[in-house]
Amino acid sequence: MSEPVAAEVRRGGTEQSSRALDVLISPRRWPWWAQLSAVYVAARLFSFFVFSGAAFKQGMNPWMQASPGYWDFITIWDGRWYQTAAEQGYPSQLPVDALGNVQENAWAFYPLFPLLGKALSGLFGVPVLASLTVIAMVAGLGAVLVIFRLFLCFASHRTAFWGAVFVAVFPVAGILQVPYAESLNLLLLAASLLAVVRKRYLSAIPFVILAALSRPTGVPFGAVVGLLLVHRLWVLFRARRRPTPDELGSLLRHGALTVVACAAALTWPALAWAKTGDPQAYTRTETVWRGTDLVPFKPWWDMAVGVLGPALGPLALGVFLAVTAWALLKAPAVRELGVELRLWCACYLGYLLAFLHPQTSTFRMLLPLFPLALATAFVSRSRAYRWTVVLMFSLLQIVWIVWLWAWAQLPGGGDYPP
């Protein structure tokens, strides 16, 4: 090789190395998935420091000595129940006390997460709680990436990115790095909604089935796809025309997804019935933690009356429902979400109102309303506004961890669960 040619080759190699270094040290030039991954890791590091600080201040508790380390601290609460489900399985008979009252047991915790934890533990020989924590962390990252792709169906790249960032720093986002099933369910739920938005109904089926086996979100999702199908049929009926072959095929696929979603929502209660012989095994177990039988909508009424009184309580509850309905139907930022995401938020809120016993765990159970993070990003394109949201969410995460994750017994007994 001649000397001029060799010099040119060296210059070319130097320029390529310089460009590669520029990309490496300039996050704005990274691919979207690398940027979001970096944000997610940074958010989890922030949560790590908050958890560590709360752990240092933790007093004596039902699980371990005071001032535990980070890894011990994040495995308390329901993490121990998922460990029990993974290591011991589910009881064939509901445990009861001397009076025949059902006691707390593993049937309240859906099986996909502990089964994956058990499989990973057996494959690599690590403790179950460690494998569950790894699954939660990885699933949380996958959820944020899929959520960004979902948000792109309704927003620009920049706004969708900020919406995904808001999910990563939610006030309850610390739950994405502890051995809880929330992050796994969030990933599967986002994938299901993305497939529905893209009208890939058959592709949604495996995600819908797995989501219904990870957390109790199957009922509201079945309602979403069912209502969307009814709306499509109503539009055809009002137009007084027959569907084209392509439309008919799409409707049949949509119908198949609806049937599967509704069946998947009933799968876990049905399995509990089959294993224990008690048709109410799942609901009887779930209601142990609330101390009362399941009566739809009644807990919210009782809570409103108990906190605010018989006059102001129902009024406040009515105002809350009216404001929520207005926001989903009329608020400009929420309307940008599209029909599917707004309908999901409405159905999930309706599900919570019907079946949830309002308590401090309610904050965590609001995580499936993640599409509202995109609505938050739609409110303003100002960088100052969006960074303020990140700051406020981060501060509220400190409040959530210190107030609810750190265990403290109440004066009258019991505690505030996260």
Side-chain angles (χ1 to χ4, degrees):
M1 182 182 296
S2 65
E3 191 171 317
V5 172
E8 183 66 27
V9 170
R10 286 195 296 272
R11 283 196 298 270
T14 302
E15 290 175 357
Q16 289 179 355
S17 299
S18 178
R19 285 195 294 269
L21 182 61
D22 289 342
V23 171
L24 184 62
I25 64 177
S26 178
R28 290 185 178 183
R29 300 179 66 179
W30 295 357
W32 66 269
W33 57 266
Q35 293 179 359
L36 265 181
S37 297
V39 169
Y40 179 81
V41 170
R44 302 288 64 79
L45 283 173
F46 173 80
S47 299
F48 165 80
F49 288 116
V50 178
F51 275 120
S52 298
F56 181 75
K57 291 290 188 178
Q58 175 67 68
M60 293 298 296
N61 59 87
W63 300 279
M64 61 199 68
Q65 296 296 315
S67 299
Y70 167 80
W71 289 106
D72 287 330
F73 187 61
I74 65 171
T75 62
I76 62 177
W77 300 106
D78 290 356
R80 298 305 173 99
W81 278 112
Y82 283 114
Q83 178 189 25
T84 298
E87 294 178 346
Q88 303 176 21
Y90 295 87
S92 57
Q93 290 184 333
L94 296 180
V96 296
D97 61 15
L99 299 176
N101 300 312
V102 175
Q103 301 298 289
E104 296 177 356
N105 66 86
W107 281 111
F109 301 90
Y110 280 56
L112 180 62
F113 186 55
L115 286 177
L116 290 177
K118 182 178 181 179
L120 187 64
S121 176
L123 186 62
F124 293 100
V126 298
V128 166
L129 279 174
S131 64
L132 291 173
T133 304
V134 170
I135 292 170
M137 284 279 290
V138 174
L141 173 59
V144 170
L145 297 179
V146 175
I147 285 170
F148 169 74
R149 302 302 299 179
L150 174 62
F151 286 176
L152 272 182
C153 297
F154 304 95
S156 66
H157 184 283
R158 185 177 183 83
T159 300
F161 187 89
W162 275 101
V165 169
F166 291 163
V167 173
V169 299
F170 264 169
V172 297
I175 207 71
L176 301 178
Q177 65 195 74
V178 304
Y180 271 50
E182 267 74 4
S183 54
L184 179 62
N185 178 255
L186 189 65
L187 169 61
L188 296 169
L189 181 58
S192 301
L193 287 170
L194 178 59
V196 169
V197 168
R198 291 177 172 176
K199 293 182 171 51
R200 298 174 181 174
Y201 301 111
L202 296 184
S203 299
I205 287 178
F207 298 115
V208 170
I209 294 174
L210 293 175
L213 292 174
S214 63
R215 289 281 301 159
T217 53
V219 170
F221 196 90
V224 168
V225 292
L227 289 172
L228 288 173
L229 178 61
V230 169
H231 178 261
R232 294 181 68 188
L233 294 173
W234 175 249
V235 169
L236 283 173
F237 175 77
R238 289 194 63 186
R240 299 183 182 276
R241 67 177 181 85
R242 293 182 178 180
T244 66
D246 287 343
E247 288 175 331
L248 181 59
S250 177
L251 286 170
L252 290 174
R253 292 189 291 272
H254 193 159
L257 173 61
T258 302
V259 171
V260 170
C262 293
L266 301 176
T267 299
W268 186 235
L271 288 173
W273 177 6
K275 181 73 178 287
T276 64
D278 185 342
Q280 295 181 309
Y282 171 70
T283 54
R284 291 180 69 193
T285 298
E286 275 285 359
T287 54
V288 170
W289 275 266
R290 69 178 66 184
T292 59
D293 293 333
L294 177 61
V295 179
F297 302 105
K298 186 175 183 292
W300 288 91
W301 178 273
D302 291 342
M303 178 64 71
V305 172
V307 173
L308 299 175
L312 188 58
L315 177 62
L317 184 60
V319 170
F320 167 75
L321 294 176
V323 170
T324 301
W326 174 87
L328 291 174
L329 293 172
K330 298 295 183 180
V334 179
R335 287 178 63 86
E336 295 286 341
L337 297 180
V339 174
E340 296 89 353
L341 296 189
R342 282 194 295 152
L343 186 58
W344 162 252
C345 290
C347 288
Y348 185 70
L349 281 171
Y351 173 79
L352 293 183
L353 288 170
F355 300 110
L356 177 67
H357 179 71
Q359 54 175 314
T360 47
S361 294
T362 303
F363 298 115
R364 167 172 57 89
M365 295 178 186
L366 296 178
L367 188 62
L369 294 174
F370 70 89
L372 297 180
L374 182 58
T376 305
F378 276 131
V379 169
S380 174
R381 299 176 61 183
S382 166
R383 292 183 63 185
Y385 160 77
R386 289 172 173 177
W387 277 110
T388 299
V389 171
V390 170
L391 176 61
M392 294 305 298
F393 279 2
S394 301
L395 292 175
L396 288 172
Q397 187 175 157
I398 296 174
V399 173
W400 183 77
I401 291 174
V402 172
W403 174 38
L404 294 179
W405 192 267
W407 183 87
Q409 187 169 3
L410 297 175
D415 49 47
Y416 286 136

